[in-house]
Amino acid sequence: MDSKRPLLLQSPRTPNDQEFPTIPTFPELPKSKSSSSNTVTFSGVENYQVEKNNNSLNSSSSSRTTMSIHSIHSSSRNNSVKEISSLSHSGSKFMRYGSKGGFDSEGLSMSQRELRDEDARLVYINDPEKTNENFEFSGNSIRTAKYSILTFVPRNLFEQFHRVAYVYFLIIAILNQLPQLAVFGRGVSILPLAFVLFVTGVKDAFEDWRRHNSDKVENNRLASVLVNDSFIEKSWKDIKVGEIVKIKTNETIPCDIVLLSTSDPTGVAYVQTINLDGESNLKTRYAKQETGSKVQQRFHGLIKCEKPNRNIYGFMANMEIEGKKLSLGSSNIVLRGCELKNTSWALGVAVYCGRETKAMLNSSGAPSKRSRLETRMNQEIIMLSFFLVALCTITSVGAAVWLRRHKDELNLLPYYRKLDFSEGKVDDYKYYGWGLEIFFTFLMSVIVYQVMIPIALYISMELVRVGQAYFMIEDDRLYDEASNSRFQCRALNINEDLGQIKYVFSDKTGTLTENKMEFQCASIWGVDYSSTKGGMESEQGEFSVQVDGKVLKPKMKVKVNPELLQLARSSGLENKEGKRIYDFFLALATCNTIVPLVVDTPDPDVKLLDYQGESPDEQALAYAAAAYGFMLIERTSGHIVIDIHGERLKFNVLGLHEFDSDRKRMSVILGYPDNSFKLFVKGADTTMFNVIDKSHNINLIKSTENHLHSYSSLGLRTLVIGMRSLNHSEFEQWHAAYEAASTAVFGRAAMLKKISNNVETNVCILGASAIEDKLQKGVPEAIESLRNADIKVWVLTGDKQETAVSIGFSSKLLTRNMTQIVINSNSKVSCRKSLKDALERSRKLVDDDDASSTQIALIIDGGSLVHILDSEHEEELFQLASLCSVVLCCRVAPLQKAGIVSLVKNRTSDMTLAIGDGANDVSMIQMADVGVGISGQEGRQAVMSSDFAMGQFRFLVPLLLIHGHWNYQRLGYMILYNFYRNAVLVLVLFWYVLFTAFTLTTAINEWSSTLYSIIYSALPTIIVGILDKDLGRSTLLKYPQLYSAGQKNEAYNKKLFILTMIDTLWQSMVIFWFPLFAYWKSTIDVASIGDLWTLATVILVNLHLAMDVVRWYWLTHAVIWGSIFATFVSVMIIDAIPQLPGYWAFFHVASTRLFWLLLLGIVIAALLPRLVVKFVYQYYFPSDIQISREAEKMRQYQRIVESGQIEMLPVSDLQHR
């Protein structure tokens, strides 16, 4: 690891009534993770012994932790924060996913480096004028709106024209304004583009209007600000850097403030960061003792802090007050958006305001992703562009030949009158010479055939996606009652990608499991005390204490081991066994970040203790300690109070070394009432066994390791607990170094890291704890459905191998008939050998057996990935993983998760989906094609960085198999239909050009050409794209194999595109040639036959759509038949306006019987080949979707489903069809 990474924050001293300085910064507790020697082995694969070398694991594995506002520099989630920044710039900087270099200090904010003068801002406390004298800092007004009244039109148009298609249509409209190229009316040619821009602009304007209103409400909220020695109410927008703000309980913090004083004598303030990171647990913040004792009006001093940055987990500054320099850290700053809780009031000085606050700097959304279907659609648009150029070339070449043949007749020919005889003076009439005429003909062809590139398709896709998102959000199958949360669609542009997923990368803790921990087992001094051993008392946790005449009980009940409970109650400190149990539970009760809160109950004499912690792990451990009689009842910045079987003891908190991803442990130094000192440590076994004094009792260590292995084999999460007694000289030595490091302005991080490593040595092992993280409801069934849908599920977790394997079996990810290949290697050489042997063995298994019956599970740890990712062995790993049905990665760091996703994403065209619930899953979620966040126990960073969010893992099944399938099928058909719809009209125009000397005159009225893509045929495809369902929910869930249609691109591919274009060619020929031959020797005018072509085209494309509709609703009927009716009405209105060409043409031609017979004949002749091909294909070569659809229509469908008579082909067979 980079030695510059800060592993511990400085903490303010609070010398009050306590004898010793304290460190009131309580970091997060790592979630239990342990490791032992691998027992799941395979021939040719090397075992990995943890005891021999832990460095690789230490540098690469990751502890899952929950988000907290003061888990600042050293928590594993800081890795995620750095990785997000790095990944967002992956285009410009090479990323390392597997090696230790991936965790170096690239991209660190200033709070993670040392503060330099040139990087600092000066804030004069209670003197905003002097603060802003030299540098005008940002005011506290915020603006999330994108536009103003003046900038809306230019900026919105600029953003919309980022779409190349819009630029194309703008060029077409401009060309049509030139007199030489004017094919349509100048106003009419602009109408389609103007309509699309207007609709999008109205949507953007409405969204921005809502943002303006939200900004207005936020900026006009009131806060108490110290002005002229008294507090007055000020709007938030008027607060300046340097002003002192007073916050009362339950009020929201208006800007980033450094605490100066609180209502608590020790300077403690409790804040809730739910508006910042989604966590409801309380966090502790502290005011310096030197400022906490001052009178409010006498606050004066200078704060030198880092410049504004996005790191919400870090803050580095120092404060000069009365000639004394004090260090400030993240425990001293409260960020905008937090709420003050359980504290009457707090005073703070504004250091960052408005857009410079950390919350506003982090307000950017997730990176934009493009739909795979839309990317493939662009390829077809390019093909259509070449086709358009070909049509224009044919037209211009034909015009050139025609002009050459008739060059002597141009003076009098009606289409090319070279001379104008309308005036007395004979002159050229709209003729520019042979060369320019050909050039102008080409450009005019582009204008006439412009709809070949469907402008309406883009707006139609947006509207369809909005409709699809609405139905996904309102689906009760995706509603989580436990958290009262509905499905969130945060990225509207990739809905259809949900129907093409091939790989699912899932986190384990909080994603597959509930992340609600229950204490299960304890190993104390080599003795296993399991909660199920010797029976279980279901009503334990009723331990209570008397405080001020009130009964205090823990809020959560814990099942306990009766034997251990009796020993804890009776033994005390009288014997060694009792002393060991005493120290073990004392460690659980004190070595944590728990804040005990008193909660009222219906009984006024009974109160509940609600342990607010920064992770479910430490909450479970604290409740377990309380159930065994070690109840934490009070915590301040300087001490904690523990009630031990009715005896209340007060311990001074002399120092706390935070958990970090290097050490994977945390420690606390307590001062006992008898002036003795003890260090309690707990952490992952991979690092704890490195600091344990093994010379004392080897048997104890071996017994504990065996217990850890058995616990993790049951899927439990483990921690190792240790203790060390410090004599006075050792304490004084530590205390002096700690004080110097904590108050250091420069080099603080490195000094604190060194101190923590020095004191956490020669630890005596007390035991180990095991916590159960239960599977979420429906996870085994969900994984089985996904695998039946030919979706490969990979689990990437930071837990130890045995725990992950156990969860794998219980979740049906792993089965007993799978061949397990385990790669645990602690060196590059052994890793290369293991990988080679595993690959050879897998290929042999696949070759020897039927590929469909051979199931291989690959289990690999983070230590091995260190040597594989970013090396020449990546390709071998991918080949090995491709042969496996399941991949389970253990002990992986957050950046390694992203590297594994990248490994697959860069080597295959298959779609990837990543799902997780914690901040350490963010890099993986953003790397995948589709990212899904779980609204769980670990804050909202995963949700805020995701494309979709939901409450439970099991919702992935209806999301993919139902909505994903529908979305893909609908949108795939809609794109092809739009290509067909526009190409039909263009080809009709092209055929007409061939009969009019290539002059590009059009028989179809220019208004009808314009309204064709807006009124005549646009609405039906949108409604069908939102509502149509090729199959019902129950069928899609019963037969997950149907999902493979999206994986194989059955709804949209080049074959379908070519067939659609062939069908389009035929239909256009029928539309044009039938009326032409019927009226060949008649005197019908151009406008009349043009109206016939218009109506025939509209009727045909709408009936074409109706043929493919599966589920009819009243709205579907209304838009399809209504569009045909609207076309008739529009044509009649256009032909009834005398100023427009073709006046009364429709009424003349419609009065004849031939007109209506032609309409009927065109529809039958045009659709008959399509109907025949469709019948033959569905009858003789039906797909699984068509078979299932027919079964749904049968009256005996329910009986057939129950009897299982619908035979589905296995996935392996489907791939060969």
Side-chain angles (χ1 to χ4, degrees):
M1 294 291 180
D2 188 355
S3 60
K4 294 184 179 180
R5 176 185 294 173
L7 299 178
L8 180 63
L9 286 179
Q10 79 295 340
S11 297
R13 292 190 59 194
T14 324
N16 41 29
D17 59 328
Q18 311 305 322
E19 297 181 16
F20 302 102
T22 64
I23 180 164
T25 304
F26 302 104
E28 59 198 23
L29 174 65
K31 292 187 179 177
S32 317
K33 300 197 167 48
S34 69
S35 171
S36 63
S37 59
N38 173 46
T39 58
V40 185
T41 60
F42 195 81
S43 177
V45 181
E46 186 176 71
N47 287 345
Y48 176 61
Q49 302 298 330
V50 173
E51 294 179 14
K52 293 182 179 179
N53 192 327
N54 287 298
N55 294 332
S56 297
L57 282 174
N58 293 348
S59 62
S60 61
S61 59
S62 164
S63 293
R64 292 185 44 97
T65 52
T66 60
M67 291 177 56
S68 69
I69 206 65
H70 60 282
S71 57
I72 315 297
H73 299 308
S74 55
S75 72
S76 64
R77 285 172 301 173
N78 281 349
N79 291 338
S80 297
V81 174
K82 292 185 290 181
E83 289 150 19
I84 297 168
S85 174
S86 300
L87 286 171
S88 64
H89 297 84
S90 59
S92 59
K93 179 178 287 188
F94 173 71
M95 284 300 302
R96 299 188 62 83
Y97 296 108
S99 67
K100 302 174 185 179
F103 302 102
D104 288 342
S105 57
E106 293 179 346
L108 295 181
S109 70
M110 271 307 304
S111 63
Q112 293 170 293
R113 299 194 299 267
E114 303 305 340
L115 190 62
R116 300 190 297 259
D117 290 342
E118 59 270 23
D119 296 320
R121 72 159 46 181
L122 303 180
V123 178
Y124 294 90
I125 303 175
N126 201 17
D127 194 349
E129 288 76 18
K130 188 175 182 180
T131 300
N132 293 272
E133 182 178 7
N134 296 325
F135 302 97
E136 188 66 29
F137 296 131
S138 174
N140 202 40
S141 176
I142 66 165
R143 178 178 174 179
T144 59
K146 296 171 61 177
Y147 313 107
S148 66
I149 295 177
L150 296 178
T151 63
F152 174 77
V153 173
R155 185 172 178 181
N156 185 259
L157 288 176
F158 176 77
E159 291 178 354
Q160 290 199 56
F161 278 107
H162 275 72
R163 281 185 167 171
V164 179
Y166 287 8
V167 177
Y168 163 77
F169 286 106
L170 177 64
I171 294 174
I172 296 296
I174 293 174
L175 290 176
N176 196 71
Q177 306 307 307
L178 302 178
Q180 297 87 345
L181 306 177
V183 179
F184 303 116
R186 295 182 178 179
V188 176
S189 63
I190 300 177
L191 187 59
L193 179 60
F195 176 77
V196 173
L197 295 176
F198 176 76
V199 171
T200 307
V202 169
K203 177 181 71 73
D204 293 342
F206 175 72
E207 292 177 351
D208 206 58
W209 174 75
R210 293 174 60 185
R211 287 191 288 263
H212 273 288
N213 286 341
S214 177
D215 292 344
K216 185 177 180 180
V217 172
E218 185 79 1
N219 289 328
N220 286 288
R221 296 173 69 173
L222 298 178
S224 296
V225 180
L226 185 63
V227 178
N228 297 327
D229 297 337
S230 63
F231 286 98
I232 64 171
E233 296 289 322
K234 267 179 113 172
S235 297
W236 279 21
K237 63 182 179 182
D238 298 325
I239 298 175
K240 299 178 181 178
V241 175
E243 288 186 320
I244 293 178
V245 184
K246 185 174 184 178
I247 312 297
K248 297 179 182 178
T249 185
N250 295 325
E251 287 186 349
T252 304
I253 312 300
C255 55
D256 294 354
I257 63 174
V258 169
L259 284 180
L260 298 175
S261 179
T262 71
S263 57
D264 188 286
T266 62
V268 178
Y270 298 102
V271 297
Q272 190 177 62
T273 60
I274 191 169
N275 293 331
L276 194 64
D277 58 16
E279 289 190 11
S280 59
N281 292 338
L282 298 186
K283 315 296 189 304
T284 49
R285 295 293 179 269
Y286 304 91
K288 286 292 185 179
Q289 186 68 26
E290 290 77 1
T291 59
S293 59
K294 279 189 169 293
V295 180
Q296 295 173 359
Q297 291 82 356
R298 296 181 181 176
F299 278 125
H300 292 287
L302 172 65
I303 293 178
K304 179 182 175 183
C305 61
E306 59 188 348
K307 291 181 180 179
N309 59 73
R310 298 177 59 187
N311 185 14
I312 63 175
Y313 305 115
F315 177 68
M316 180 166 284
N318 57 70
M319 177 167 54
E320 295 180 8
I321 186 166
E322 296 180 348
K324 185 177 181 181
K325 181 174 288 188
L326 309 173
S327 62
L328 300 174
S330 55
S331 62
N332 309 117
I333 188 173
V334 186
L335 305 184
R336 179 188 179 118
C338 300
E339 292 184 8
L340 189 67
K341 298 289 185 180
N342 291 71
T343 308
S344 299
W345 55 264
L347 294 180
V349 57
V351 290
Y352 305 123
C353 289
R355 63 178 181 273
E356 294 179 344
T357 58
K358 293 179 181 292
M360 293 302 298
L361 292 174
N362 279 278
S363 62
S364 59
S368 177
K369 297 178 181 179
R370 292 192 65 189
S371 160
R372 181 70 57 86
L373 193 63
E374 187 173 347
T375 302
R376 289 174 177 165
M377 178 192 76
N378 290 336
Q379 299 175 6
E380 272 66 57
I381 288 181
I382 293 174
M383 293 176 63
L384 288 176
S385 300
F386 283 112
F387 185 62
L388 173 63
V389 171
L391 292 181
C392 296
T393 302
I394 292 172
T395 302
S396 58
V397 170
V401 173
W402 192 92
L403 285 174
R404 279 296 185 187
R405 287 182 177 179
H406 300 82
K407 60 182 178 179
D408 297 330
E409 308 169 33
L410 296 180
N411 289 349
L412 300 176
L413 283 176
Y415 290 110
Y416 276 98
R417 290 183 297 174
K418 185 174 180 181
L419 301 178
D420 183 7
F421 296 96
S422 61
E423 301 290 340
K425 181 182 177 182
V426 179
D427 199 358
D428 284 354
Y429 178 79
K430 292 186 178 180
Y431 184 78
Y432 305 97
W434 186 75
L436 284 178
E437 282 292 329
I438 297 174
F439 177 69
F440 289 153
T441 300
F442 184 89
L443 295 181
M444 291 169 66
S445 302
V446 176
I447 297 173
V448 173
Y449 307 145
Q450 61 177 296
V451 291
M452 179 64 77
I453 310 299
I455 186 174
L457 176 58
Y458 293 96
I459 190 70
S460 298
M461 290 177 67
E462 286 192 11
L463 294 175
V464 166
R465 285 165 173 163
V466 170
Q468 292 173 348
Y470 170 78
F471 285 109
M472 287 192 290
I473 293 170
E474 294 299 318
D475 189 354
D476 290 337
R477 291 175 180 264
L478 303 179
Y479 171 72
D480 183 26
E481 294 182 359
S483 60
N484 191 28
S485 61
R486 286 199 171 273
F487 179 80
Q488 298 179 45
C489 186
R490 300 172 53 84
L492 289 175
N493 56 333
I494 59 172
N495 291 352
E496 60 274 18
D497 283 350
L498 294 171
Q500 299 179 274
I501 301 301
K502 183 68 174 180
Y503 289 88
V504 169
F505 300 91
S506 175
D507 176 44
K508 184 187 76 68
T509 306
T511 304
L512 300 180
T513 61
E514 293 182 349
N515 203 17
K516 295 179 180 178
M517 311 302 175
E518 291 185 10
F519 184 84
Q520 292 293 336
C521 306
S523 170
I524 304 177
W525 207 259
V527 180
D528 180 15
Y529 299 98
S530 300
S531 60
T532 56
K533 187 176 179 180
M536 187 188 304
E537 298 182 22
S538 60
E539 294 299 326
Q540 288 302 320
E542 291 295 327
F543 180 79
S544 60
V545 298
Q546 292 282 339
V547 178
D548 299 330
K550 307 291 183 182
V551 177
L552 278 183
K553 295 181 178 180
K555 184 179 179 180
M556 183 183 296
K557 296 179 181 180
V558 178
K559 297 176 183 179
V560 299
N561 177 273
E563 178 187 356
L564 181 58
L565 180 64
Q566 183 63 32
L567 290 172
R569 287 175 176 174
S570 59
S571 297
L573 301 175
E574 298 174 359
N575 54 54
K576 288 186 177 180
E577 185 180 27
K579 180 68 169 60
R580 293 162 182 169
I581 295 174
Y582 181 95
D583 288 336
F584 178 85
F585 284 112
L586 184 61
L588 296 188
T590 59
C591 190
N592 54 50
T593 69
I594 294 296
V595 178
L597 299 180
V598 179
V599 180
D600 293 331
T601 65
D603 186 349
D605 294 328
V606 177
K607 305 290 183 181
L608 294 181
L609 271 179
D610 182 10
Y611 287 155
Q612 291 283 323
E614 298 186 18
S615 76
D617 295 76
E618 63 179 10
Q619 287 177 306
L621 294 177
Y623 280 119
Y628 285 98
F630 292 73
M631 183 183 292
L632 171 65
I633 60 175
E634 180 183 343
R635 180 188 293 277
T636 71
S637 61
H639 68 269
I640 54 177
V641 177
I642 310 291
D643 188 288
I644 304 176
H645 299 297
E647 180 183 2
R648 193 167 305 173
L649 297 178
K650 183 178 182 181
F651 298 91
N652 294 323
V653 180
L654 307 179
L656 190 147
H657 297 281
E658 297 184 356
F659 168 84
D660 67 79
S661 56
D662 280 344
R663 291 161 45 244
K664 291 186 175 60
R665 58 183 181 267
M666 67 174 294
S667 61
V668 61
I669 296 179
L670 298 182
Y672 278 59
D674 60 358
N675 287 335
S676 61
F677 313 103
K678 286 188 179 179
L679 168 78
F680 289 101
V681 190
K682 65 179 177 183
D685 59 356
T686 53
T687 59
M688 285 295 293
F689 285 126
N690 290 337
V691 299
I692 286 175
D693 185 358
K694 298 182 181 180
S695 62
H696 288 168
N697 194 330
I698 295 298
N699 293 331
L700 168 62
I701 296 175
K702 290 183 177 180
S703 298
T704 305
E705 286 182 321
N706 292 334
H707 294 158
L708 286 170
H709 179 73
S710 62
Y711 296 160
S712 58
S713 298
L714 296 174
L716 303 180
R717 300 158 59 83
T718 57
L719 280 177
V720 175
I721 316 298
M723 182 191 73
R724 176 189 175 189
S725 295
L726 301 177
N727 57 40
H728 280 272
S729 62
E730 290 174 331
F731 170 76
E732 290 297 335
Q733 182 181 1
W734 167 85
H735 180 254
Y738 184 78
E739 281 294 291
S742 298
T743 56
V745 178
F746 302 104
R748 184 190 317 164
M751 295 169 65
L752 287 171
K753 176 182 178 181
K754 183 178 180 180
I755 292 168
S756 62
N757 287 328
N758 287 341
V759 74
E760 293 169 349
T761 56
N762 298 321
V763 174
C764 174
I765 188 170
L766 293 176
S769 64
I771 301 172
E772 181 181 13
D773 185 10
K774 293 184 177 179
L775 278 178
Q776 291 182 11
K777 178 183 176 182
V779 166
E781 295 80 5
I783 291 179
E784 188 174 17
S785 294
L786 293 176
R787 291 177 59 188
N788 289 335
D790 198 23
I791 297 175
K792 294 188 176 182
V793 181
W794 293 22
V795 173
L796 317 177
T797 178
D799 276 337
K800 65 177 297 182
Q801 180 176 304
E802 291 81 4
T803 303
V805 169
S806 177
I807 294 294
F809 278 110
S810 59
S811 65
K812 294 186 179 179
L813 180 71
L814 301 175
T815 59
R816 297 298 175 186
N817 60 348
M818 283 184 178
T819 301
Q820 294 184 22
I821 293 182
V822 182
I823 298 180
N824 281 346
S825 301
N826 55 356
S827 69
K828 191 171 184 178
V829 175
S830 62
C831 183
R832 181 171 62 249
K833 181 178 182 301
S834 299
L835 188 60
K836 181 180 178 181
D837 293 343
L839 186 58
E840 291 177 356
R841 181 65 172 172
S842 300
R843 287 171 175 167
K844 184 177 180 181
L845 285 171
V846 173
D847 293 339
D848 291 346
D849 302 323
D850 182 15
S852 60
S853 62
T854 302
Q855 290 188 324
I856 303 173
L858 172 63
I859 302 171
I860 186 170
D861 71 334
S864 302
L865 290 173
V866 167
H867 306 296
I868 295 176
L869 296 180
D870 304 321
S871 72
E872 66 276 9
H873 304 303
E874 274 192 347
E875 182 62 32
E876 295 178 35
L877 176 62
F878 174 73
Q879 293 176 12
L880 174 61
S882 300
L883 298 174
C884 300
S885 304
V886 174
V887 177
L888 183 59
C889 300
C890 316
R891 291 296 198 187
V892 289
L895 196 57
Q896 287 179 322
K897 292 183 178 183
I900 295 167
V901 176
S902 177
L903 177 76
V904 175
K905 186 177 176 182
N906 295 336
R907 287 171 171 78
T908 177
S909 60
D910 296 326
M911 296 288 293
T912 59
L913 180 147
I915 180 171
D917 72 315
N920 57 349
D921 301 318
V922 168
S923 54
M924 172 180 72
I925 287 173
Q926 292 187 337
M927 175 59 68
D929 295 304
V930 178
V932 179
I934 297 291
S935 305
Q937 306 291 317
E938 296 201 28
R940 292 183 55 82
Q941 268 221 5
V943 170
M944 291 187 293
S945 302
S946 65
D947 306 306
F948 305 95
M950 54 191 184
Q952 297 282 327
F953 178 85
R954 70 177 188 273
F955 296 159
L956 201 60
V957 172
L959 177 64
L960 298 184
L961 302 191
I962 297 177
H963 291 286
H965 175 85
W966 285 345
N967 294 345
Y968 169 72
Q969 294 287 334
R970 293 162 174 168
L971 214 57
Y973 176 80
M974 192 194 79
I975 293 173
L976 288 174
Y977 176 79
N978 273 269
F979 288 156
Y980 149 78
R981 182 190 68 176
N982 286 34
V984 165
L985 181 65
V986 169
L987 288 173
V988 170
L989 297 174
F990 176 72
W991 302 135
Y992 182 74
V993 165
L994 300 182
F995 281 84
T996 55
F998 308 97
T999 56
L1000 292 166
T1001 56
T1002 58
I1004 296 177
N1005 185 282
E1006 62 183 20
W1007 280 99
S1008 292
S1009 298
T1010 302
L1011 296 176
Y1012 178 77
S1013 298
I1014 300 176
I1015 296 178
Y1016 295 174
S1017 59
L1019 200 55
T1021 182
I1022 295 174
I1023 297 302
V1024 171
I1026 295 174
L1027 297 180
D1028 197 30
K1029 302 174 183 176
D1030 61 342
L1031 291 169
R1033 295 172 180 266
S1034 58
T1035 303
L1036 292 171
L1037 290 178
K1038 185 175 181 62
Y1039 302 109
Q1041 297 96 323
L1042 296 169
Y1043 183 80
S1044 62
Q1047 298 170 338
K1048 295 184 290 185
N1049 303 312
E1050 289 186 1
Y1052 185 85
N1053 52 54
K1054 279 187 168 56
K1055 178 183 176 182
L1056 282 176
F1057 175 76
I1058 294 173
L1059 290 175
T1060 300
M1061 290 299 103
I1062 294 174
D1063 188 29
T1064 301
L1065 182 65
W1066 163 254
Q1067 292 188 25
S1068 68
M1069 294 174 66
V1070 171
I1071 293 172
F1072 178 79
W1073 295 103
F1074 270 41
L1076 184 67
F1077 288 141
Y1079 289 111
W1080 185 260
K1081 295 183 179 181
S1082 70
T1083 58
I1084 189 172
D1085 62 349
V1086 173
S1088 297
I1089 198 171
D1091 287 342
L1092 175 57
W1093 283 329
T1094 300
L1095 292 169
T1097 302
V1098 173
I1099 293 172
L1100 186 60
V1101 298
N1102 280 284
L1103 288 179
H1104 179 110
L1105 178 64
M1107 285 178 58
D1108 296 329
V1109 173
V1110 179
R1111 301 293 175 96
W1112 284 88
Y1113 304 92
W1114 69 266
L1115 190 57
T1116 312
H1117 283 287
V1119 295
I1120 290 180
W1121 313 125
S1123 294
I1124 296 175
F1125 176 76
T1127 303
F1128 274 93
V1129 173
S1130 300
V1131 169
M1132 287 187 288
I1133 292 175
I1134 292 171
D1135 284 358
I1137 300 175
Q1139 290 79 9
L1140 296 179
Y1143 175 66
W1144 218 251
F1146 172 77
F1147 300 97
H1148 288 303
V1149 72
S1151 61
T1152 64
R1153 184 182 303 175
L1154 180 59
F1155 174 83
W1156 300 102
L1157 289 175
L1158 282 172
L1159 280 180
L1160 180 62
I1162 288 171
V1163 170
I1164 294 174
L1167 294 180
L1168 186 60
R1170 175 178 178 81
L1171 188 63
V1172 171
V1173 171
K1174 194 172 183 179
F1175 169 78
V1176 171
Y1177 178 71
Q1178 294 188 6
Y1179 190 82
Y1180 293 103
F1181 311 100
S1183 66
D1184 286 332
I1185 290 179
Q1186 291 158 354
I1187 295 173
S1188 301
R1189 187 187 304 157
E1190 291 301 316
E1192 281 186 338
K1193 297 177 181 178
M1194 299 173 61
R1195 293 183 178 180
Q1196 299 85 2
Y1197 173 68
Q1198 188 61 40
R1199 177 180 60 81
I1200 294 175
V1201 171
E1202 293 174 353
S1203 61
Q1205 294 179 14
I1206 303 179
E1207 182 178 353
M1208 302 298 298
L1209 292 173
V1211 173
S1212 59
D1213 291 343
L1214 289 175
Q1215 295 172 351
H1216 299 293
R1217 295 190 51 178

